[in-house]
Amino acid sequence: MKVNITYMKEKDMFELQIVEPRLRAHFLLNRKDLNELRTLVERALIETGSKKDK
């Protein structure tokens, strides 16, 4: 999976692209939304990692 994040300085926005054979997604996100997405992904990784260790 290829993930690209580009900062669009003039609009203070981030362009997020996710590409893989079965998925192609393109988002324009402000800083708050991108940070919420990052937090959600991190939480999911931490929670599933702790369940795997048990």
Side-chain angles (χ1 to χ4, degrees), residues 15-32:
E15 179 181 26
L16 171 65
Q17 293 181 343
I18 303 169
V19 179
E20 65 128 323
R22 295 167 290 160
L23 171 71
R24 182 176 296 265
H26 181 251
F27 304 94
L28 294 176
L29 303 168
N30 61 31
R31 186 175 303 274
K32 178 181 176 287

